Amino acid sequence: MEDGSGLRPVAKVGALRRVLCLLLAIGVLAGLEGCTRRFFRNAADKEVNDVLAEKDRYEAWKIDQFHVYPDPRARFADPTNPDRPPMPPDDDATRKLSPHPQSPGKAGVGNPHGTGWLDIIKAWDTENRTERSGAEDAGKDAAAPAEKRAADNPRGPIQTLFDTPLAAEPAGFLLKLEHAVELGLINSREYQSIREDLYLAALPVTLQRFSFAYQWTAIENAFRQSAGPESSVGERNNWTLNSSASVTKLFSTGALLTLGFANTTVFNFVHGARDFTSFSNINLDIVQPFLRGGGRAVTLEPLTLVERNLVYNIRSYARFREQFFLSIAVGTSPPGNLQAAAGTGTGGSGPISTLAALGIASTDVSGQFRGYLPTLFREVDWAVDTKYVRDLEKALKLFEGFQEGGQVSPLQVMQVNSTLLNARNGVLKDVQDKTNALDQFKLQLGIPANLPLLLDDAPIRPITRQLDRYYSVLTEADAAARQVEPLQQLPAAKVRPALLRLYTTDPLVRGTEFQKKLPPAWQTWTKLSEKELKVRLEKLGAERRKLLDLKTDLEVKGQPLSAVDAARLREAEFEADLGGLEKELREYETGPWEKLPKEAQRRQAQTKLFRLVSYAAVNVLVYARNDRFEGAGRLWPELPPARLGECDLLNDDVERAQEAAVEAALTNRVDLMNARAQVVDAWRQLRVTANALMGVFNVAYHLDSLTPPNGSQPLAFAPSRTNQQLILNAQLPLVRVQERNVYRGALINYQRARRNLMNLEDNIAAQVRFDVRQLHLFGDNYKIQQKVLESLYSQVENALEVIVAPTDPDSLKATGTAGQANAAALTNQYLGALGNLNGSQTNMYRVWLSYLATRIDLYLNLERLPLDPRGVWIDEQGHSAVLPHADAGPASLGQPLSGDGRGPGGAGAALGCPLPGDGRGAAAEGSLPRLLPPTAGPALE
């Protein structure tokens, strides 16, 4: 049987079924792309990127170095598909004792990690060693004085204080502080977690904004019903399509609009029939609360909270970046999350602030075992103590030689040996301390503990250079003193001219006041008769004793000797020692040993007399050494400045500096800004929670319209089939115990927030005042330590000179126990001076590095710690505030990677948002990371 079209009804029914199936298949396939993991990940990244770009308006807390995907050069980099990473290796026992609902799939099993960080370290090592080699070559002007060579070559090796440069060992990668900070940006797991915290803080904003947008839903249900003639429902052969669509909109007043459309279409294929029915209905509901739940204050509060919380987190992220620099440089632990970075909590509970969170503590590097500067201090402590051991080893050999000559007793040798053994124990502990500190520092940087690493000594090189100048003077003084002993081989008449040449041409005396002063002064002594010589020496001795007594009396009263009297004392001592040399030299020139009958007697007598001349001659050389010491003392490096506008925080009055610093901190601290804003958050909760105490009064409107139920007109809506309702709903606030308690809690939280803000302000002021005092303390310690070191260098030499002074061995034996006790006391004096010198040199490094650490900490607490793209502090001159400014080189993070957003650069640089592709991330050189251009957020109404 055929119809008018010439086709059998069964064939038409089959064609219609195929069309319906095709339409359903197309609809399902079209929606699949919108349901993939990658689609939703990219959508979330884009929205968060837009939200952060919209908030990135203030330079003071600029969003920088932010990417939610790990840097492809990091150890924890994951180059695999982020949506379907490989299954990580499982624990064997756990796997055997549990079910396995998931299989690895196509991604397989693996534990990917990046190696680019190691390539960067290798490049830095090559660059740093090349730079150091060039500086060494530039500082090898042998004709210049040692202290000038050290001053002209501030980046070269240390040759006198330490046998080799601190960072010149062949094994290990040489790393600067700026490189350590940059490596932390790439490799620090804590830093990446903070980036992710900021991303997670932006996600709720997208959700709350979406709650005020038009929200559409579309649902389609299709089912086929087939039943026999004798079934309970009768014969059926139907295809039914149930379609529904709705839109909802929440307004800022609390009004909620809901509009829904539903359609049911039934295709009946019983006995080949082609009839169908289609009917629809529309629902419209509008509800406006006027008391409880109504108004902008209540409706917009969730959005307000997440929007403000995101601002807090952005500021906290900016502060964390500064705190991270401090943690790498100084060793303090960085906050574990963004709330801790700002020292405040989030939400309406008010700020959270404690002294521990603020970290009010001394920045003395000797108490830390983390961070670049404390680890460098451990290195230099070991190096200074190693130098001390070498000095004691030399002293032991010297004393053993004197013991053979009978000049010192075995007790003195044992004293030196005992001190040497204790010093070696100290070096062993230093090795352990510096190794532990270096391992802790590696953990900070996120690199393996067994990676060989060396820290560049640039931060302490100015101090090393200064100590090097003193040791250079001592080395040249020893060399000059050694030239006196061979003069015994000359005829007695030629000793005087030889000494004069030594006093006027030796490298020790070049350019000194001694070189100009000695010839005329000595000429005056040579013209005196024996009687005049004796009288002048007695007069100088009396004057010297008088001035020394005056100096002692003034020191007891805490007063210094006047400049005039100090100059007189120096002049008296110089003239007395020069006169003593003249006296001994005159006796030596008479040659009394020549009258002795035996050669051995003559040789022994000459040696005794020459030793007196030699001792007096070396005593005169001490004044040349002192002149050189004074010249070196004028070359002490200046402490880096600590300025705050017109105020010099280091050199100004402490009270004035503290006042300026506190004012700056209370104005600029971003955590204080967050705390002030959170007091307002707590204040807003009063009205929000009080709203819940009110009764209910809602006005609602409902509309319901239908089409003919058994027809085929799905859009035939008519007033006759439309139902409209106006609903007034009221409820008395009879039961509000829970709401009452919440409201009372909000009142308490508001008062807590006010108190916590005061507490935070007070703690910030206390921290800043403490930092200023610390800055002054280390600044004063630095000046005092200079004088201590200058004094100790002379004490060590003078103590040794007393020990090696000419002594008759027979007299030492004749005095018995008393003489040996006196010799032992002199040895103790020498060893004590040498030990004090060692401790003072270490203390000088401690004071210098602690000042640098305090300066960084103070600027952080003043919120004056701007960072360059590598994360390194930029000072007021636009250069690295800790190290000399230098280009970062090709391996610098200042030239970030770009690609699909998996690295820190690219079009989605703010988040590392992936671009269309497979999400794996191909790295290439690109531009600095920047946020996408801001886009307008959705309207609230």
Side-chain angles (χ1 to χ4, degrees):
M1 179 178 179
E2 298 181 358
D3 59 10
S5 63
L7 297 177
R8 294 179 180 275
V10 175
K12 295 190 66 175
V13 170
L16 183 57
R17 289 178 178 174
R18 287 193 292 273
V19 171
L20 288 175
C21 291
L22 179 61
L23 291 176
L24 286 174
I26 292 174
V28 171
L29 292 175
L32 285 180
E33 177 62 24
C35 300
T36 63
R37 301 179 183 181
R38 176 184 162 198
F39 172 83
F40 288 113
R41 173 173 58 84
N42 289 350
D45 288 345
K46 184 181 184 307
E47 287 194 41
V48 170
N49 188 86
D50 292 343
V51 168
L52 291 179
E54 177 186 329
K55 300 295 184 185
D56 191 29
R57 288 290 184 270
Y58 291 87
E59 191 65 32
W61 50 85
K62 183 75 175 173
I63 301 177
D64 203 357
Q65 290 299 337
F66 177 75
H67 45 87
V68 71
Y69 296 94
D71 191 303
R73 300 167 293 181
R75 274 186 74 197
F76 50 82
D78 186 357
T80 62
N81 188 332
D83 297 312
R84 299 186 184 277
M87 177 182 177
D90 199 358
D91 172 65
D92 185 63
T94 305
R95 181 172 177 79
K96 290 178 180 178
L97 299 176
S98 62
H100 316 302
Q102 297 188 45
S103 60
K106 294 181 179 180
V109 177
N111 187 18
H113 61 275
T115 59
W117 62 274
L118 188 56
D119 296 331
I120 294 174
I121 292 179
K122 292 178 181 178
W124 283 337
D125 178 67
T126 301
E127 173 187 332
N128 293 338
R129 291 185 183 277
T130 301
E131 178 182 327
R132 180 177 290 277
S133 299
E136 291 176 10
D137 295 337
K140 293 180 179 178
D141 182 8
E147 62 267 26
K148 185 177 187 303
R149 293 199 302 271
D152 293 342
N153 180 26
R155 304 183 66 85
I158 294 88
Q159 297 293 352
T160 52
L161 179 58
F162 310 121
D163 286 343
T164 57
L166 286 178
E169 294 86 345
F173 299 107
L174 183 58
L175 202 66
K176 294 181 179 179
L177 173 55
E178 58 198 71
H179 296 153
V181 174
E182 191 171 350
L183 183 61
L185 290 181
I186 299 173
N187 236 26
S188 171
R189 292 176 283 268
E190 293 83 0
Y191 204 118
Q192 185 60 29
S193 296
I194 294 295
R195 293 187 182 106
E196 293 165 349
D197 286 345
L198 181 55
Y199 182 95
L200 294 176
L203 281 177
V205 176
T206 65
L207 177 61
Q208 287 298 328
R209 288 185 177 185
F210 176 71
S211 67
F212 289 92
Y214 288 95
Q215 300 180 16
W216 297 86
T217 59
I219 302 174
E220 181 69 38
N221 290 316
F223 57 92
R224 181 177 181 273
Q225 183 181 23
S226 177
E230 298 181 3
S231 66
S232 60
V233 296
E235 186 176 10
R236 294 284 191 273
N237 187 13
N238 300 339
W239 275 94
T240 303
L241 300 178
N242 286 337
S243 306
S244 63
S246 65
V247 60
T248 60
K249 177 70 170 75
L250 177 64
F251 294 89
S252 61
T253 60
L256 179 64
L257 167 67
T258 303
L259 175 63
F261 172 83
N263 173 263
T264 299
T265 300
V266 179
F267 294 90
N268 187 354
F269 297 105
V270 176
H271 305 303
R274 294 177 296 165
D275 58 331
F276 72 93
T277 59
S278 179
F279 61 94
S280 306
N281 72 296
I282 291 178
N283 293 305
L284 174 64
D285 287 284
I286 302 177
V287 180
Q288 173 63 65
F290 282 95
L291 295 179
R292 182 176 181 177
R296 293 170 57 88
V298 176
T299 307
L300 294 180
E301 182 60 20
L303 176 62
T304 303
L305 275 178
V306 295
E307 292 271 4
R308 291 169 69 93
N309 184 56
L310 179 58
V311 175
Y312 304 154
N313 280 279
I314 290 174
R315 286 197 288 224
S316 300
Y317 174 73
R319 180 159 178 80
F320 170 82
R321 293 183 63 236
E322 299 172 356
Q323 291 171 317
F324 184 78
F325 173 80
L326 178 71
S327 71
I328 296 297
V330 179
T332 57
S333 298
N337 52 61
L338 288 179
Q339 286 71 40
T344 61
T346 57
S349 60
I352 302 170
S353 172
T354 63
L355 279 177
L358 287 171
I360 297 183
S362 173
T363 47
D364 192 326
V365 296
S366 62
Q368 298 285 342
F369 275 84
R370 289 163 55 96
Y372 193 99
L373 298 183
T375 304
L376 185 59
F377 172 74
R378 300 294 167 184
E379 293 273 358
V380 77
D381 185 20
W382 162 80
V384 171
D385 286 348
T386 302
K387 166 69 176 172
Y388 178 46
V389 168
R390 292 198 301 267
D391 289 343
L392 288 173
E393 288 172 345
K394 294 176 182 177
L396 181 60
K397 293 180 181 179
L398 179 66
F399 274 69
E400 288 174 342
F402 285 158
Q403 182 185 5
E404 292 178 2
Q407 191 170 348
V408 299
S409 67
L411 177 60
Q412 293 172 273
V413 176
M414 286 188 289
Q415 286 177 286
V416 178
N417 188 53
S418 176
T419 305
L420 173 60
L421 293 177
N422 289 330
R424 285 174 175 167
N425 280 335
V427 170
L428 292 177
K429 184 179 183 302
D430 291 341
V431 171
Q432 184 180 28
D433 287 347
K434 77 184 186 74
T435 304
N436 292 341
L438 193 59
D439 284 350
Q440 290 296 316
F441 184 58
K442 293 173 187 176
L443 294 180
Q444 276 190 288
L445 300 182
I447 60 179
N450 61 348
L451 183 77
L453 196 65
L454 301 170
L455 303 187
D456 185 75
D457 62 340
I460 51 97
R461 203 170 293 152
I463 299 301
T464 301
R465 285 295 169 221
Q466 181 61 24
L467 302 187
D468 188 28
R469 295 181 185 110
Y470 286 114
Y471 273 104
S472 296
V473 173
L474 294 176
T475 300
E476 293 182 357
D478 290 342
R482 285 194 297 270
Q483 296 184 46
V484 176
E485 194 67 27
L487 299 182
Q488 183 179 353
Q489 308 303 322
L490 297 176
K494 294 186 177 181
V495 172
R496 183 186 297 270
L499 286 177
L500 184 59
R501 285 195 301 272
L502 176 65
Y503 291 155
T504 55
T505 62
D506 190 82
L508 175 68
V509 304
R510 290 177 187 171
T512 63
E513 183 67 22
F514 174 87
Q515 187 180 29
K516 304 175 183 177
K517 179 180 178 181
L518 183 129
W522 198 2
Q523 184 67 25
T524 301
W525 282 99
T526 60
K527 295 178 180 179
L528 298 179
S529 64
E530 291 294 330
K531 183 178 180 180
E532 292 172 336
L533 178 66
K534 181 179 179 181
V535 171
R536 189 178 182 193
L537 283 175
E538 291 175 352
K539 183 178 179 181
L540 287 171
E543 183 180 10
R544 179 175 177 272
R545 287 189 297 271
K546 180 180 178 181
L547 291 172
L548 287 175
D549 291 341
L550 176 61
K551 181 180 179 182
T552 302
D553 293 340
L554 291 174
E555 287 178 350
V556 170
K557 299 177 182 179
Q559 301 175 4
L561 194 64
S562 67
V564 175
D565 289 338
R568 287 175 54 203
L569 178 59
R570 287 195 301 269
E571 184 66 21
E573 290 177 337
F574 171 74
E575 291 292 342
D577 286 338
L578 189 57
L581 171 62
E582 177 65 25
K583 176 177 174 296
E584 300 298 340
L585 189 57
R586 286 184 181 184
E587 183 176 357
Y588 181 77
E589 288 175 334
T590 60
W593 62 86
E594 296 178 353
K595 300 177 182 179
L596 297 176
K598 296 182 180 181
E599 177 62 25
Q601 293 177 336
R602 291 194 295 272
R603 188 165 54 250
Q604 184 178 7
Q606 181 185 9
T607 299
K608 285 184 178 181
L609 288 176
F610 186 80
R611 289 196 64 187
L612 295 174
V613 173
S614 174
Y615 181 69
V618 172
N619 278 347
V620 173
L621 276 175
V622 168
Y623 295 95
R625 184 193 70 193
N626 292 343
D627 283 352
R628 290 284 300 278
F629 272 172
E630 291 181 5
R634 292 189 288 269
L635 298 176
W636 278 100
E638 294 290 334
L639 290 170
R643 300 200 61 85
L644 180 63
E646 297 299 324
C647 181
D648 187 339
L649 297 177
L650 176 61
N651 298 313
D652 283 359
D653 177 71
V654 175
E655 290 299 326
R656 179 174 180 270
Q658 288 178 336
E659 181 180 351
V662 169
E663 181 181 356
L666 295 181
T667 302
N668 299 320
R669 284 283 288 264
V670 295
D671 52 346
L672 191 57
M673 296 177 189
N674 286 352
R676 292 191 185 107
Q678 287 178 324
V679 174
V680 178
D681 291 343
W683 174 81
R684 287 199 322 275
Q685 293 302 308
L686 302 182
R687 183 171 179 182
V688 172
T689 55
N691 178 267
L693 300 174
M694 303 174 70
V696 175
F697 181 71
N698 297 341
V699 177
Y701 171 76
H702 174 74
L703 181 147
D704 187 2
S705 182
L706 303 173
T707 61
N710 297 318
S712 57
Q713 296 177 300
L715 299 178
F717 296 102
S720 60
R721 290 184 295 276
T722 299
N723 175 32
Q724 301 185 62
Q725 293 178 323
L726 180 64
I727 305 169
L728 303 179
N729 176 261
Q731 177 182 336
L732 294 176
L734 300 179
V735 179
R736 291 292 186 271
V737 176
Q738 180 179 355
E739 292 80 357
R740 177 205 66 187
N741 293 345
V742 172
Y743 170 69
R744 189 66 185 93
L747 290 173
I748 292 175
N749 286 337
Y750 170 64
Q751 295 300 329
R752 283 182 175 178
R754 293 179 62 249
R755 295 195 302 271
N756 286 337
L757 174 60
M758 295 178 186
N759 185 46
L760 181 59
E761 291 174 338
D762 292 343
N763 286 335
I764 289 176
Q767 172 68 76
V768 170
R769 288 172 60 85
F770 175 83
D771 284 342
V772 171
R773 289 194 296 270
Q774 281 283 95
L775 200 72
H776 279 254
L777 172 65
F778 289 126
D780 293 339
N781 284 346
Y782 179 64
K783 297 176 182 177
I784 294 173
Q785 204 62 29
Q786 294 176 15
K787 304 300 181 184
V788 171
L789 276 173
E790 292 170 358
S791 174
L792 284 172
Y793 285 125
S794 297
Q795 285 184 35
V796 170
E797 293 299 307
N798 293 338
L800 185 59
E801 288 166 2
V802 172
I803 293 175
V804 302
T807 305
D808 187 353
D810 295 332
S811 65
L812 182 63
K813 297 177 183 178
T815 54
T817 305
Q820 293 185 10
N822 182 58
L826 293 177
T827 303
N828 275 334
Q829 183 180 4
Y830 167 69
L831 294 176
L834 193 61
N836 290 337
L837 175 60
N838 172 71
S840 294
Q841 288 181 149
T842 301
N843 195 39
M844 174 57 81
Y845 282 110
R846 180 190 66 83
V847 170
W848 176 267
L849 289 175
S850 297
Y851 173 84
L852 296 182
T854 302
R855 181 169 173 260
I856 298 172
D857 187 60
L858 175 59
Y859 274 102
L860 170 67
N861 288 316
L862 296 177
E863 211 68 64
R864 297 287 185 100
L865 203 71
L867 307 176
D868 66 12
R870 302 171 299 162
V872 179
W873 177 24
I874 306 171
D875 64 10
E876 295 82 355
Q877 286 73 40
H879 298 106
S880 168
V882 178
L883 297 176
H885 180 65
D887 293 332
S892 169
L893 190 62
Q895 296 177 344
L897 305 178
S898 63
D900 69 352
R902 299 274 297 152
L911 302 168
C913 296
L915 302 179
D918 64 358
R920 294 175 181 267
E925 293 297 329
S927 58
L928 292 178
R930 287 293 180 266
L931 291 169
L932 289 176
T935 56
L940 297 182
E941 296 183 58

